[in-house]
C-alpha cells in the first residue's frame, strides 16, 4: 500500500506520544530523515525514493544519477519545476517502477522541464515508467533499460499522470544495441494519464511503448535521431494530436512498429522533414490504424520492413499505399501514400514548447490552400511535395528559380482538381525548376489534375500520388503555364511507373500551356492522360522514355515542338496508347543521334500530324500492336512504315534562348 501524508502524520503523533511518556528532559524531538529526502530538500535528485515527496517549483533541481520511484511511493513535480540532468550518460535517469506513481503537474504557462544544460542529444537517460499492463513479453519481463521488471495482467493499471512535460537531450547509449529514449513506457496501463508532452533532441526514440495500453494526447517530438514514436510487444494504446519534425539528417523514422500487431491507433499526426528519410516503418507483422495523417518531406512514406502485410496498416481517410518497390533484398517493401498534405496539427499548437526550430521561408513543401505568390528574388528549395489543393492558387512570377531536393518520388509539385497554378515566365526571365545536378530521376516534376474527360472515367486515380482526376468539363482550367524550364525529373515510382517532366491528368482546354522546356527526364517529357489541353512551343531534350506520351483518349494538340535525343537508351519521340481520340500535332521536329524509334502507336491510337520532320531514327513509324495506319495521318495521308518524313520544315529554336536558362 502506498504511504500517504496521513501515514506520516500518524508516525509523528506516535513519536510525540512516546516522548511525553518516556522522556524527562526538554530535548527536541528527532525524526529520522533519509539521505534521499535530505538530498531532495537540497535540490539534488538521486537514489531510491523512500517517502512520498513533492518538489518545490521555486528550487532549481539537479538530477545527478539514477532517481527511482519504487512500489508504494508517489513522486510529484509541480508546474514550473526545472530539473537539470547531469550529462552522465546511462547513469542519469528517472525511473518509476511497478506500483510506483509519478505525477507531473505542468501547465501550459508553466510546463515542467527536464534537460541537460545544453539540451544536446545523448546527454542522459530520460524517463522510464514500468507498469502492470499486458505485454507479449509476458509477466515480469525484464526491460533493456535498467533491467527493471514490467508486465502483468492489468491493462487499466495507473502509474500516475504526466501533463505539460518537456524533455531534452536524452538517448544515452546503453550498449551497441540499445539506447535510452525520451520516455520509455513499459507495460504502462490506460489508467495512466499522459498529455502535452514534448521530447527534443534525443539520440534514440522520442517515446517508445513496450506493450501496455497507455495513450498520449498532444505530443511534440523534434529531432530525435532514431524513431519519433516506437512501439513493440503489442502496445494497444493511442496517440492523438502529434507534431513531429526532422531537420537534422540521420534519423530513422516517424513511426516504427515491431512484432505482432496490437493495432494501436493514431489520430491527427503531422510529420515534417527537411532532410528526406522514411516516415512510417512497420517490422514483422506490426500495424496500426491511422487517421488525419499529413506527411511532408519524406522520401518513403511507408516501409513494410520485413514484407509484412500492408493491410495491417489501416488509413481511415482512404489513403492507398502505392508500391515503390517489392524487392525484399532492397530492404523491404516501399510504398508511397496518396496523403493529404494539409496538416491537421502544427507547431503553433504547442506554444509552451521551448524551441528555436523554424522552417525557412524559402522552403517549399506542404499544402497551398489559399492564394500563394512566390518572390522571384528568393532562391527557393522544393524539399518535398508541394500540393495546390482545391481552391488554392500558386503564382510563380517571372525569373523564379526553384531547386528541387534530390529526393526522388517524395519531391514534386502537384495541382489538384479545383486548384490553379499561374507560372508567369517570360522569354527573358523563364521560371526554372531543377534539381541541383539536373540529373535524370532526381525529383518528381510537375503534375496537374483536372475535370476534363478521360477514358479512365470520372474520379480516376493517378499513378502519380494516387491523385483523383477526370470529370465532364472539357473546358476546365488548371491555370496557366508560360515559359517554364524543368530539368532532372523522372523519379522511379515502381517497376512500372515514373514521374514525368509535366503530367497532365484530364486537364481541360481552359488551361494555357506555352513555351515549356523539359530536359534530362528519366521518363517522359510530357504525358497526357485524357483531357483536352493544348500545348505550344515545346522543347524536349534527352528524356529517357518518350518525349511526348498520351493515353486515355487525350484530344488536345501540340503546336511547334522540337525533340532532341543525343543520349542512348530513350524510347520514342511520340508514344500514343489506347483508343484514338485524334489529337493533333503541328510543326513537329524530332532529331536523334542515337537511332531508335521516332513515332510509336499502341493499341488503336493515332493522331493527325502536319509538317513533320524526322532525322536520325532507325524506325520512323512503329504500329506496336498492328493498329490501323489510317489512324495516323501525316500531312493528310495515312502513315507508312517505310516513310522517310524528312521533307517538313524544321522548327527553328534558334530564337528560343529561354530553353536552357538558369541551368
Amino acid at each position: 500500500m502506498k504511504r500517504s501524508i496521513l501515514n506520516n502524520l500518524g508516525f509523528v503523533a506516535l513519536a510525540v506520544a512516546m516522548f511525553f511518556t518516556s522522556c524527562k528532559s526538554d530535548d527536541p524531538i528527532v525524526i529520522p530523515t533519509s539521505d534521499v529526502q535530505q538530498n531532495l530538500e537540497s535540490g539534488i535528485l538521486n537514489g531510491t525514493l523512500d517517502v512520498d515527496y513533492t518538489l518545490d517549483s521555486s528550487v532549481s533541481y539537479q538530477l545527478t544519477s539514477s532517481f527511482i520511484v519504487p512500489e508504494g511511493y508517489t513522486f510529484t513535480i509541480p508546474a514550473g519545476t526545472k530539473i537539470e540532468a547531469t550529462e552522465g550518460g546511462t547513469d542519469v535517469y528517472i525511473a518509476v517502477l511497478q506500483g510506483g506513481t509519478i505525477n507531473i503537474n505542468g501547465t501550459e504557462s508553466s510546463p515542467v522541464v527536464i534537460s541537460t544544460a545544453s539540451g544536446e542529444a545523448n546527454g542522459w537517460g530520460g524517463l522510464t515508467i514500468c507498469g502492470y499492463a499486458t505485454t507479449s513479453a509476458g509477466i515480469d519481463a525484464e526491460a533493456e533499460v535498467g533491467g527493471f521488471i514490467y508486465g502483468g495482467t492489468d491493462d487499466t493499471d495507473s502509474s500516475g499522470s504526466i501533463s505539460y512535460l518537456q524533455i531534452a537531450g536524452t538517448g544515452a547509449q546503453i550498449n551497441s544495441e540499445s539506447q535510452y529514449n525520451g520516455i520509455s513506457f513499459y507495460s504502462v496501463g490506460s489508467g495512466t494519464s499522459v498529455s502535452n508532452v514534448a521530447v527534443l533532441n534525443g539520440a534514440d526514440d522520442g517515446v517508445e511503448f513496450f506493450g501496455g495500453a497507455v495513450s498520449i494526447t498532444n505530443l511534440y517530438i523534434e529531432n530525435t535521431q532514431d524513431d519519433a514514436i516506437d512501439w513493440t510487444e503489442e502496445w494497444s494504446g493511442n496517440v492523438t494530436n502529434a507534431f513531429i519534425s526532422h531537420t537534422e539528417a540521420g534519423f530513422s523514422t516517424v513511426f516504427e512498429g515491431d512484432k505482432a500487431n496490437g493495432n494501436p491507433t493514431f489520430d491527427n499526426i503531422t510529420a515534417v522533414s527537411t532532410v528526406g528519410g522514411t516516415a512510417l516503418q512497420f517490422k514483422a507483422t506490426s500495424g496500426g490504424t491511422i487517421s488525419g495523417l499529413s506527411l511532408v518531406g519524406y522520401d518513403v512514406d511507408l516501409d513494410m520492413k520485413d514484407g509484412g502485410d500492408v493491410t495491417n496498416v489501416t488509413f481511415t481517410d482512404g489513403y492507398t499505399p502505392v508500391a515503390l518497390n517489392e524487392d525484399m533484398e532492397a530492404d523491404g517493401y516501399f510504398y508511397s501514400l496518396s496523403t493529404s498534405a494539409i496538416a491537421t496539427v502544427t507547431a503553433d499548437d504547442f506554444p509552451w514548447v521551448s524551441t528555436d526550430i523554424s522552417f525557412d521561408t524559402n522552403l517549399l513543401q506542404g499544402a497551398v490552400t489559399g492564394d500563394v505568390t512566390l518572390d522571384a528574388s528568393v532562391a527557393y528549395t522544393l524539399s518535398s511535395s508541394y500540393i495546390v489543393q482545391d481552391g488554392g492558387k500558386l503564382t510563380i512570377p517571372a525569373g523564379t528559380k526553384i531547386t528541387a531536393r534530390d529526393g526522388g518520388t517524395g519531391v514534386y509539385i502537384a495541382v489538384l482538381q479545383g486548384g490553379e497554378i499561374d507560372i508567369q515566365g517570360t522569354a527573358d526571365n523563364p521560371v526554372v525548376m531543377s534539381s541541383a545536378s539536373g540529373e535524370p530521376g532526381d525529383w518528381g516534376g510537375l503534375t496537374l489534375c483536372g475535370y476534363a474527360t478521360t477514358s479512365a472515367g470520372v474520379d480516376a486515380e493517378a499513378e502519380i500520388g494516387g491523385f483523383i482526376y477526370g470529370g465532364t468539363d472539357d473546358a476546365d482550367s488548371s491555370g496557366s503555364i508560360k515559359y517554364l524550364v524543368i530539368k532532372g525529373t523522372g523519379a522511379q515510382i515502381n517497376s512500372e511507373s515514373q514521374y514525368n517532366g509535366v503530367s497532365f491528368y484530364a486537364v481541360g482546354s481552359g488551361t494555357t500551356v506555352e513555351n515549356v522546356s523539359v530536359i534530362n527526364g528519366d521518363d517522359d517529357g510530357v504525358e497526357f492522360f485524357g483531357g483536352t489541353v493544348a500545348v505550344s512551343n515545346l522543347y524536349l531534350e534527352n528524356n529517357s522514355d518518350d518525349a511526348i506520351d498520351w493515353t486515355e483518349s487525350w484530344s488536345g494538340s501540340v503546336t511547334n515542338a522540337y525533340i532532341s535525343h543525343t543520349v542512348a537508351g530513350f524510347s520514342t519521340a511520340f508514344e500514343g496508347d489506347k483508343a484514338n481520340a485524334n489529337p493533333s500535332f503541328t510543326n513537329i521536329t524530332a532529331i536523334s543521334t542515337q537511332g531508335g524509334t521516332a513515332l510509336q502507336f499502341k493499341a488503336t491510337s493515332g493522331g493527325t500530324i502536319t509538317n513533320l520532320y524526322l532525322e536520325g531514327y532507325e524506325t520512323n513509324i512503329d504500329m506496336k500492336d498492328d493498329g490501323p495506319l489510317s489512324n495516323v495521318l501525316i500531312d493528310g495521308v495515312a502513315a507508312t512504315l517505310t516513310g522517310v518524313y524528312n521533307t517538313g520544315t524544321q522548327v527553328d529554336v534558334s530564337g528560343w534562348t529561354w530553353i536552357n536558362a538558369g541551368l
Side-chain angles (χ1 to χ4, degrees), residues 43 60-64 82-87 92 113-118 124:
S60 295
Y61 289 92
Q62 300 287 319
L63 176 66
T64 61
K82 304 293 189 291
I83 301 174
E84 181 180 313
T86 301
E87 295 198 21
V92 181
V113 177
I114 310 175
S115 173
T116 58
S118 69
W124 66 294

Side-chain angles (χ1 to χ4, degrees), residues 139-214:
I139 296 174
D140 294 341
E142 184 174 310
E144 62 180 0
V145 174
F148 301 127
I149 301 303
Y150 69 101
T153 59
D154 183 5
D155 279 345
T156 64
D157 181 44
S158 174
S159 298
S161 64
I162 299 174
S163 182
Y164 290 100
L165 168 65
Q166 177 171 306
I167 282 181
T170 59
Q173 190 82 35
I174 299 171
N175 54 45
S176 60
E177 300 297 323
S178 302
Q179 289 171 282
Y180 281 87
N181 307 301
I183 307 179
S184 300
F185 296 92
Y186 283 92
S187 293
V188 176
S190 62
T192 307
S193 174
V194 185
S195 63
N196 298 291
V197 170
V199 180
L200 288 69
N201 300 339
D204 199 55
D205 304 330
V207 295
E208 183 166 6
F209 304 91
F210 297 83
V214 65

Side-chain angles (χ1 to χ4, degrees), residues 326-366:
E326 296 181 356
D327 183 358
M328 284 294 293
E329 295 181 358
D331 196 23
Y333 293 161
F334 295 157
Y335 294 86
S336 175
L337 299 175
S338 57
T339 55
S340 167
I342 300 176
T344 54
V345 184
T346 72
D348 292 340
D349 295 324
F350 298 84
W352 55 273
V353 176
S354 177
T355 174
D356 57 4
I357 289 291
S358 62
F359 296 102
D360 293 336
T361 56
N362 69 336
L363 197 65
L364 303 180
Q365 57 184 29

Side-chain angles (χ1 to χ4, degrees), residues 414-447:
V415 182
L416 305 189
Q417 288 181 316
E420 288 186 68
I421 192 167
D422 185 8
I423 297 177
Q424 301 174 341
T426 65
D428 293 331
N429 287 295
V431 169
V432 178
M433 302 177 185
S434 173
S435 59
S437 68
E439 292 300 311
D442 281 350
W443 66 293
L446 173 63
T447 294

Side-chain angles (χ1 to χ4, degrees), residues 223-225 245-254 271-279 296-300 359 363 365 381-384 405-407 410-411:
N223 286 333
T224 51
Q225 294 173 11
S245 65
H246 291 115
T247 63
E248 297 178 3
F251 73 93
S252 176
T253 59
V254 174
V272 179
S273 173
T274 63
V275 290
T278 296
V296 175
Y298 298 90
D299 300 324
V300 175
F359 296 102
L363 197 65
Q365 57 184 29
T381 297
L382 179 65
S383 178
S384 176
R405 182 176 62 85
D406 179 3
V411 181

Side-chain angles (χ1 to χ4, degrees), residues 294-319:
S294 175
L295 301 177
V296 175
Y298 298 90
D299 300 324
V300 175
D301 292 336
L302 176 62
D303 175 16
M304 303 305 291
K305 179 75 172 179
D306 301 313
D309 192 339
V310 72
T311 60
N312 284 343
V313 184
T314 300
F315 298 96
T316 61
D317 297 317
Y319 304 143

